[in-house]
Amino acid sequence: MTCIAGGVNIAMKVPAHQYDGVVAFYRETLECEEIEGGADVSFRFGPNRLWIDRVPQLSRAEIWLELVSKDFGAAAQNLEQAGIVRDDGIEPLPETMTAGWFFNPAGIVHLLRLDTTP
């Protein structure tokens, strides 16, 4: 089986009515270091980067996780052959990114992307 590993990015998708409170929790209560760059708010969360995304159409928060593989095609095929649902329509990805969206059996979203680190 192709190696798939956890990535460093965690995305918390938060309804608009909870967004400011969630950002304040990580910024002020936990005093997490805010990471500059990009339009979204993100914090250093141990060895990970925690993105806080405002998603007005949600009624409750969701956690989205990142997976990486040096062989995206084989990894995606392995997941699909295992019956793991893929749905690339849930959020647009940059055209330059080799990646896809998968759901674990509990419905948690996972971004599988090509690991381009040397």
Side-chain angles (χ1 to χ4, degrees), residues 4-102:
I4 300 174
V8 298
N9 291 295
I10 301 169
M12 185 179 297
K13 307 294 185 170
V14 179
H17 69 279
Q18 296 174 328
Y19 183 81
D20 292 338
V22 169
V23 170
F25 174 76
Y26 289 97
R27 183 183 284 144
E28 298 163 17
T29 304
L30 296 184
E31 298 181 348
C32 291
E33 176 189 349
E34 194 164 343
I35 301 172
E36 297 296 322
D40 299 313
V41 175
S42 65
F43 298 96
R44 191 164 318 284
F45 195 71
N48 299 96
R49 183 173 188 159
L50 175 62
W51 295 87
I52 312 293
D53 299 335
R54 180 190 316 259
V55 184
Q57 64 270 28
L58 288 182
S59 63
R60 62 188 172 120
E62 298 178 359
I63 295 292
W64 294 17
L65 302 173
E66 179 185 49
L67 300 170
V68 295
S69 176
K70 292 289 189 187
D71 186 343
F72 172 80
Q77 183 177 17
N78 286 342
L79 290 173
E80 290 169 352
Q81 287 176 346
I84 302 303
V85 175
R86 180 176 181 174
D87 181 358
D88 291 341
I90 64 168
E91 185 174 286
L93 293 168
E95 290 183 21
T96 58
M97 179 183 271
T98 303
W101 297 106
F102 292 84

